Amino acid sequence: MSRLVSSVPSPELDPRSLLILYATGTGNAQDVADRIARQCRRISFQCRVLSVDEFSAPELLSETLVVFVVATTGSGVEPRSMSSLWAQLLRSDLPSDMFEDLSFAVFGLGDTAYEKFCWAAKKLSRRLISLGAQEICERGEGDDQHPLGLDGAFQPWTKSLLSSLLSLFPLPLGTEVISETSIPPSRVVIQDFQEHITQPAPATPRANIDDPLQTDDAFYTATVRTNKRTTAKGWYQDVRHFDLEFKAEDMIRYDPGDVALIHPVAPPSEVQDFLELLRWNVNADRPITITRTMEDQSLPDHLPLYPQKTTLRTILSKHVDFRAVPRRVFFQYLRYFTTDEREVETLDDWLSPAGADDLYEYCHRPRRTIHEIMTEFRHVRIPRDYVFDLLPPLRPRQFSIASSLKKHPNSIQLCIAIVKYRTMLKVPRCGICTSYLAGLEPGDTLRVGIQKGLITLPPSPSTPVICVGPGTGVAPMRAVIEERVHDGSSSVNYLYFGCRSAIQDEHYALEWADLVARRELIYRVAYSRDGKEGEPRVYVQDRIREDAKQVWRLLQDGAWVYISGSSNKMPTAVKAALAEAVEKEGDFEKEAAVKYINEMMRDGRLWEECWS
């Protein structure tokens, strides 16, 4: 994501300076950090908002007031951007009074569907306290499962933070708290491009548009070689296998477990509809420039800033997500920009504490999008300068790579479920990035980035591995197995795969059968819907229980375990089945068996790559 460069004074020069450090994997923590900065502006704090990987533990020694915003990934693991700082903070030789001059607060982002909810934020809070720092307000823990999403915890926590800050740093004489009803300044100013040139603009301007993504060295141009459905025609879920080819001179590099980053593009017809809703369609293709005005607020990745030029159509196509389900702050901005009495009354009600349930029923429960909401609030007039304040950034999506570079040189393969589901609304909900990918045809090109993943392979190919990857969780497992087979491992690769039906959604079934025939894979599959009527459904954890004796033997031989897929109940159920194998076949007490599995995680022998 784009990094913020602050121009505000350092804490030594300004006692009302606040550092906000965020650790994010998908961008949500960065969005929360922006919102905290806006709120702190109301009580005359100047904020610096930075990614945590721009700071080290020694640099924190010069700070006196810091707010940390920390997401959690995988099995309670901190985002990769936080790994360096966390490793420094864990050093055993650090003095217990190292941060005695530091006051801090923490807001964690998590999902109670995961076993270790907000674990990274909890660990950071405890460690800072153990090093002498003072926590100025109770830790906030945002939960994606809350009816209001992160806002369920963020709203009350923000009030607590501001109260604590005002207690420690009373407002200067003559200064008042800025009302929440006051319109915040926009984070950019947008001007027509001809204001910066001496030549008159043509009647139908079609100037070349700048696209920083095309020149970003961290991304590569891929050509679609394959876009093939892997589930049966007519099956309820559309899962695709993609093969993306790169030029040899790009020399792409990735390892099993790494992630492909893909920037989606909104459908042109929907962009046009939204432009017309906002009444921006007349000038949608006129070149414009964007000048940043608020340094404590982030902007979309790869956004062309002055003197580069773009258009409103390009902004809606590539940089903001008008198909997102908005947060509460979106409705606050709608309230700023409407004068219609009925809309004002409705918005005031939803934004009040008593109206929270009504807002949930209208927006969050049915997953109503910004586009759909704007069709019902037709008197709202959004100034174009506020486009990045109302509309969330269209972030790149992450997809686990499903191939080994050693087997597929100059290629990345992906296994992706095309997101499409229904709510109480008539129009189905669709994932913007997966819909974009589903529409690609062989020969089409797109830009792809590569991000390090969470897992690593055993140093020796002779070390057994147990891969558990139901559904599209099989993607990184396929990469692991291909890499291992290429490196010469044989008969020590185990794959537990789960799906509903052998004839409907058994991804890569022919590949697994071929590897089994060549004695390079032990394949155990659970078909949850193919059993006889009345029989219990069978899942991957049931297959592990059936193989308890063999699983325990593999664990004794030093096997590494990989779990990938949905973060609902599966990862916990799989670890419970592993612990049962240890208890039953290793003659362990129940608590000791659970400890054995936890120690595997601590020692790097059990990895999770799961998502909600």
Side-chain angles (χ1 to χ4, degrees):
M1 306 304 297
S2 57
R3 299 283 165 75
L4 299 182
V5 180
S6 175
S7 62
V8 301
S10 66
E12 294 82 1
L13 300 178
D14 184 359
R16 300 191 73 81
S17 177
L18 171 65
L19 173 64
I20 303 173
L21 293 179
Y22 63 85
T24 190
T26 61
N28 286 334
Q30 185 177 9
D31 175 60
V32 168
D34 285 349
R35 295 170 65 187
I36 293 172
R38 288 200 302 271
Q39 289 297 317
C40 290
R41 227 188 284 148
R42 295 175 49 228
I43 57 172
S44 297
F45 270 87
Q46 295 182 343
C47 299
R48 293 166 293 149
V49 184
L50 298 169
S51 174
V52 73
D53 59 5
E54 297 180 49
F55 254 71
S56 65
E59 287 175 307
L60 273 178
L61 290 172
S62 64
E63 301 294 331
T64 58
L65 187 59
V66 181
V67 173
F68 295 89
V69 186
V70 183
T72 300
T73 62
S75 178
V77 179
E78 70 280 355
R80 190 164 293 275
S81 61
M82 186 178 163
S83 297
S84 176
L85 175 64
W86 185 237
Q88 295 174 58
L89 292 176
L90 286 180
R91 284 176 46 186
S92 60
D93 59 345
L94 298 181
S96 60
D97 61 351
M98 179 176 180
F99 291 123
E100 62 179 354
D101 296 325
L102 176 65
S103 297
F104 77 97
V106 176
F107 187 83
L109 286 76
D111 187 326
T112 47
Y114 284 84
E115 185 179 5
K116 294 186 175 181
F117 170 63
C118 283
W119 204 247
K122 293 174 181 177
K123 291 191 297 183
L124 176 63
S125 178
R126 288 196 294 263
R127 183 55 176 158
L128 289 174
I129 291 172
S130 74
L131 294 173
Q134 302 293 318
E135 193 163 22
I136 62 174
C137 72
E138 186 175 349
R139 181 180 59 250
E141 296 180 356
D143 181 12
D144 276 339
Q145 297 297 319
H146 190 280
L148 297 180
L150 297 175
D151 282 337
F154 181 74
Q155 295 295 330
W157 179 84
T158 304
K159 292 180 180 179
S160 175
L161 174 67
L162 295 191
S163 176
S164 297
L165 289 173
L166 285 172
S167 176
L168 291 169
F169 304 94
L171 284 171
L173 192 64
T175 304
E176 296 183 354
V177 176
I178 298 174
S179 170
E180 284 195 87
T181 61
S182 300
I183 304 176
S186 63
R187 61 187 73 189
V188 303
V189 170
I190 295 177
Q191 296 176 292
D192 293 332
F193 178 66
Q194 58 262 34
E195 294 181 15
H196 304 286
I197 57 177
T198 57
Q199 297 298 321
T204 306
R206 292 287 178 182
N208 293 327
I209 300 304
D210 296 296
D211 187 355
L213 178 62
Q214 299 302 318
T215 55
D216 187 342
D217 292 339
F219 283 74
Y220 308 89
T221 298
T223 300
V224 178
R225 190 158 54 187
T226 303
N227 175 359
K228 179 177 67 176
R229 181 168 175 144
T230 65
T231 47
K233 186 178 181 180
W235 185 241
Y236 82 100
Q237 188 177 47
D238 180 0
V239 176
R240 304 289 182 95
H241 171 77
F242 292 90
D243 188 356
L244 308 178
E245 186 175 27
F246 299 80
K247 295 178 182 178
E249 55 265 32
D250 285 338
M251 295 187 293
I252 62 168
R253 294 287 182 268
Y254 65 87
D255 298 306
D258 287 355
V259 173
L261 295 177
I262 296 177
H263 277 273
V265 179
S269 60
E270 294 188 25
V271 171
Q272 180 61 31
D273 287 346
F274 197 65
L275 284 166
E276 293 174 3
L277 270 178
L278 299 183
R279 296 168 177 79
W280 291 354
N281 52 304
V282 174
N283 296 315
D285 297 301
R286 294 187 68 87
I288 56 175
T289 60
I290 302 169
T291 303
R292 185 183 212 150
T293 56
M294 301 303 296
E295 292 292 339
D296 65 358
Q297 299 293 289
S298 62
L299 292 171
D301 202 15
H302 299 107
L303 181 69
L305 296 176
Y306 178 81
Q308 294 178 313
K309 54 188 176 296
T310 186
T311 65
L312 290 171
R313 187 182 302 279
T314 302
I315 289 174
L316 294 182
S317 298
K318 296 183 177 182
H319 300 296
V320 295
D321 189 359
F322 58 86
R323 288 171 52 167
V325 178
R327 301 193 191 279
R328 180 180 180 276
V329 67
F330 169 79
F331 294 95
Q332 181 65 65
Y333 274 101
L334 293 191
R335 175 63 180 84
Y336 295 146
F337 298 128
T338 183
T339 55
D340 180 76
E341 290 185 5
R342 292 183 62 183
E343 292 181 354
V344 167
E345 182 180 354
T346 298
L347 291 166
D348 281 344
D349 176 57
W350 287 348
L351 292 167
S352 69
D357 289 342
D358 292 335
L359 179 58
Y360 168 73
E361 291 294 331
Y362 171 76
C363 178
H364 302 286
R365 185 183 178 197
R367 310 293 295 169
R368 200 182 302 268
T369 68
I370 290 172
H371 190 173
E372 291 168 328
I373 291 166
M374 291 303 297
T375 65
E376 300 183 10
F377 286 82
R378 291 186 172 272
H379 295 89
V380 172
R381 298 291 182 267
I382 300 175
R384 65 181 187 178
D385 286 353
Y386 281 86
V387 60
F388 302 112
D389 297 285
L390 271 86
L391 306 183
L394 185 55
R395 305 187 192 277
R397 271 38 172 192
Q398 301 171 316
F399 299 100
S400 294
I401 296 175
S403 56
S404 164
L405 187 63
K406 294 178 179 178
K407 182 175 181 180
H408 306 280
N410 307 315
S411 173
I412 285 178
Q413 297 185 356
L414 305 171
C415 179
I416 297 175
I418 308 304
V419 178
K420 187 174 183 179
Y421 61 96
R422 288 191 175 275
T423 66
M424 62 182 68
L425 300 179
K426 181 178 180 181
V427 179
R429 314 292 90 182
C430 297
I432 187 168
C433 192
T434 59
S435 297
Y436 161 67
L437 290 171
L440 295 176
E441 298 181 356
D444 288 344
T445 61
L446 68 159
R447 297 285 281 176
V448 179
I450 300 171
Q451 185 179 74
K452 291 302 296 179
L454 297 174
I455 69 175
T456 60
L457 292 184
S460 170
S462 62
T463 301
V465 299
I466 301 172
C467 298
V468 185
T472 55
V474 79
M477 305 297 95
R478 182 174 182 261
V480 168
I481 291 166
E482 285 189 346
E483 184 97 353
R484 300 254 306 166
V485 169
H486 182 277
D487 289 344
S489 67
S490 60
S491 299
V492 289
N493 301 314
Y494 285 72
L495 173 61
Y496 287 87
F497 176 72
C499 62
R500 293 198 172 198
S501 170
I503 62 173
Q504 303 287 3
D505 60 341
E506 188 176 1
H507 313 314
Y508 305 112
L510 295 179
E511 291 185 17
W512 309 137
D514 181 59
L515 290 173
V516 169
R518 288 163 24 201
R519 299 181 179 274
E520 292 173 329
L521 177 70
I522 306 298
Y523 180 54
R524 297 283 282 145
V525 61
Y527 305 114
S528 65
R529 301 298 193 275
D530 280 355
K532 295 179 180 178
E533 187 175 350
E535 291 183 347
R537 292 175 179 174
V538 180
Y539 300 100
V540 285
Q541 58 266 29
D542 299 309
R543 293 289 183 239
I544 291 172
R545 289 191 181 93
E546 292 171 7
D547 299 346
K549 187 182 293 293
Q550 178 69 355
V551 167
W552 171 237
R553 184 186 67 78
L554 291 168
L555 296 181
Q556 283 185 299
D557 290 342
W560 288 33
V561 178
Y562 301 92
I563 304 172
S564 176
S566 172
S567 67
N568 47 31
K569 297 179 181 179
M570 184 274 296
T572 301
V574 167
K575 285 182 287 186
L578 291 170
E580 288 177 28
V582 173
E583 178 184 359
K584 177 182 176 182
E585 301 299 331
D587 198 23
F588 279 61
E589 294 292 335
K590 185 173 183 178
E591 288 185 4
V594 172
K595 182 180 178 182
Y596 183 98
I597 298 303
N598 290 335
E599 288 177 348
M600 286 184 61
M601 297 171 62
R602 184 196 64 193
D603 296 339
R605 287 179 52 209
L606 192 156
W607 297 84
E608 288 185 47
E609 179 73 56
C610 300
W611 52 86
S612 57

